Each structure stands twice: as C-alpha cells, then as structure tokens.
Amino acid sequence: TARRDLLAQCVRFAEAAGATIQDAESEPAFEISPLVSYGGEGLESLRGKTLVGDQLITDIESVQTV
C-alpha cells in the first residue's frame, strides 16, 4: 500500500543518515514529516542514534531514541 511504501521510505532516509532502527525485522511505523525532511536531507543529527518505532517525527530534536 502507499502508506507502507511511505513508512519504508522514512526508514531508508533514517538509515542513510546513519541511524539504526530498533526491531528492524518487524515493520517499524515511524514517519518523518515533510516539514522536517522532504527527500532525506537534513537528518545528519540522527547519525549514531537508535530510533524506536511508532512515532511521527515533526521536529528533529524531539526524536524518540533508545
């Protein structure tokens, strides 16, 4: 579905920026708002962080990590 594709794209953006995803084998359900990053740009501050699923990232400073 389109929603699954959008969520998968957000995971790819985060991983490309250097983040790891907690429980990556299950489908993480986090979304990066296009106000934060439209095409994966500006996510450098995620490098080295482990993101938890089920969140809407609307502000890069308020990302929930492990």
Side-chain angles (χ1 to χ4, degrees):
T1 66
R3 176 145 177 84
R4 184 183 63 226
D5 292 343
L6 175 66
L7 296 175
Q9 181 181 42
C10 292
V11 169
R12 286 193 305 272
F13 287 164
E15 289 176 334
T20 55
I21 312 302
Q22 183 182 31
D23 298 327
E25 50 282 341
S26 65
E27 291 187 36
F30 72 84
E31 184 176 345
I32 300 171
S33 167
L35 298 174
V36 173
S37 177
Y38 184 75
E41 73 286 346
L43 300 175
E44 295 81 17
S45 63
L46 297 179
R47 181 173 313 281
K49 294 185 179 178
T50 301
L51 305 180
V52 296
D54 300 329
Q55 64 178 306
L56 172 60
I57 300 172
T58 57
D59 181 4
I60 202 69
E61 285 81 30
S62 64
V63 173
Q64 296 175 13
T65 61
V66 174

